[in-house]
Amino acid sequence: MQNESQTAKICALSRSYHVKKSSIKIFSDPLAGDLCNDCANLSKCVKRFVHDENYQNFEELLDKLVSPITLSRAAYTEKRLLNFKYQHPLIQYVICGAGLDTFAFRNVQKNIEIFEVDHPLTQQSKQEKVRQLNWQTPKNLHWVSVDFQTEHVSERLLKQGFSKEVPTFVSILGVSYYLSFAELSQTVQDIRKVLSPESEIVLDYPDRLFFKKQGSSRECILRNLTCDLGEKMNSGFSPQEIQHLFLTNGFITQEHLSQKEIDQRFFSNTPFLKAFEHIHFLSASTI
């Protein structure tokens, strides 16, 4: 990665547009818009896609390509996080690939130590935006800079005050798309080493058929968009190998959602939003 993440920006734009314009709320993030006000390069690329793919406007592109994934995975994760928090007096929340996530600034609970894990360039850019907005960085927020492809997340977490003794909730959202199976396996194995019993992890991932869709399919257009933004999606994984990956690393699956289940849970009342056919959500707990 040569610059700050552009996909982080478009995900934040999706959340901002949704909270401002949608009457039916899938996920509410009123702070997202404040973090994505510098989007000149992104806008230029997206405008071309709006034209080339015959979308009516930028909002339709968000509804078709970005929001179905961004909104549902955020809603799913934060609901499970809330349930997890109620089970423990003190928890840690590790956000892998945090991007422009705003949970740390929306959160009012003091019994959560939050660790935002991301590439140094994306994290530096976010910290500068926070300073420009005059937001006060919460005392329970820990910045953890890491390159998932070359560094160990566990080592970086421990250096920033992470405890192996505290129940921990981990989210890995929007990350697996850009990793090989070996890199994803290493990340899961590495994180597992520092998790206490009664911890939980949530992951979204594309399956192998996601990368076989071509032409005018949403999958192909989304792949092309992220590639043009400088972040090429890498590979997909079968549900069986993902479940086996977590089992062999000391996790037991709690939920494993398919497109149909995601649609039923989040989009049953929103005809303009539809889950991607080959995107899955998994939640698993330490054994």
Side-chain angles (χ1 to χ4, degrees):
M1 179 184 292
Q2 300 300 318
N3 300 293
E4 61 178 309
S5 172
Q6 296 300 305
T7 59
K9 285 185 178 181
I10 201 169
C11 288
L13 281 170
S14 166
R15 299 195 304 273
S16 175
Y17 167 73
H18 180 71
V19 78
K20 292 176 181 178
K21 302 293 185 179
S22 298
S23 58
I24 302 174
K25 297 293 187 291
I26 307 302
F27 180 73
S28 184
D29 185 353
L31 300 181
D34 294 329
L35 290 177
C36 56
N37 54 4
D38 178 21
C39 297
N41 292 334
L42 175 64
S43 297
K44 186 184 299 183
C45 176
V46 168
K47 284 179 181 178
R48 182 172 63 78
F49 267 81
V50 169
H51 176 268
D52 291 351
E53 302 299 337
N54 296 316
Y55 291 115
Q56 294 182 11
N57 48 42
F58 178 47
E59 289 75 14
E60 184 184 10
L61 180 144
L62 289 178
D63 284 343
K64 297 288 187 181
L65 295 183
V66 184
S67 296
I69 300 174
T70 301
L71 299 176
S72 57
R73 72 187 180 195
Y76 178 72
T77 299
E78 291 200 11
K79 183 175 181 179
R80 289 203 66 91
L81 172 65
L82 184 64
N83 292 336
F84 184 81
K85 179 182 69 66
Y86 285 141
Q87 300 172 26
H88 308 283
L90 175 66
I91 70 168
Q92 297 172 133
Y93 179 26
V94 176
I95 312 174
C96 293
L100 298 179
D101 188 281
T102 65
F103 175 81
F105 299 92
R106 290 182 283 110
N107 172 58
V108 296
Q109 303 294 328
K110 302 303 181 184
N111 64 336
I112 304 179
E113 292 296 318
I114 303 164
F115 296 81
E116 288 204 9
V117 181
D118 214 329
H119 190 278
L121 292 176
T122 294
Q123 198 158 86
Q124 289 168 13
S125 174
K126 181 176 183 177
Q127 290 172 329
E128 180 58 30
K129 294 177 190 295
V130 168
R131 285 191 288 269
Q132 291 174 356
L133 291 166
N134 292 318
W135 287 1
Q136 182 177 357
T137 300
K139 294 181 179 179
N140 59 338
L141 172 58
H142 310 264
W143 304 101
V144 184
S145 297
V146 64
D147 186 329
F148 289 97
Q149 294 178 316
T150 61
E151 296 182 288
H152 293 290
V153 177
S154 61
E155 294 177 1
R156 303 295 298 163
L157 282 170
L158 292 172
K159 288 181 180 179
Q160 295 300 322
F162 182 87
S163 173
K164 294 182 178 181
E165 310 302 323
V166 177
T168 300
F169 188 96
V170 181
S171 66
I172 308 178
L173 306 180
V175 174
S176 65
Y177 305 76
Y178 307 98
L179 301 179
S180 67
F181 185 73
E183 290 166 340
L184 178 61
S185 299
Q186 174 59 40
T187 299
V188 172
Q189 183 179 17
D190 184 46
I191 291 174
R192 179 63 182 90
K193 292 189 300 186
V194 295
L195 293 184
S196 73
E198 299 183 310
S199 292
E200 181 173 341
I201 192 167
V202 168
L203 170 82
D204 73 323
Y205 71 94
D207 65 33
R208 296 187 183 280
L209 292 177
F210 180 90
F211 288 86
K212 293 184 178 181
K213 293 284 188 175
Q214 301 297 328
S216 61
S217 68
R218 287 196 298 170
E219 292 84 356
C220 182
I221 297 171
L222 180 59
R223 296 198 312 268
N224 290 339
L225 175 61
T226 60
C227 186
D228 271 29
L229 292 173
E231 297 166 50
K232 183 180 179 180
M233 292 184 174
N234 194 336
S235 57
F237 320 99
S238 74
Q240 294 77 19
E241 66 183 339
I242 288 293
Q243 196 150 323
H244 181 71
L245 166 64
F246 279 86
L247 181 61
T248 55
N249 280 285
F251 293 92
I252 184 169
T253 299
Q254 299 297 325
E255 287 190 307
H256 203 165
L257 303 188
S258 65
Q259 175 211 11
K260 181 179 179 180
E261 292 164 315
I262 295 169
D263 261 333
Q264 289 175 342
R265 190 170 299 191
F266 299 105
F267 302 131
S268 59
N269 296 318
T270 56
F272 54 92
L273 293 174
K274 182 176 176 59
F276 272 71
E277 185 177 358
H278 300 293
I279 299 295
H280 306 258
F281 299 165
L282 177 137
S283 62
S285 300
T286 51
I287 298 173

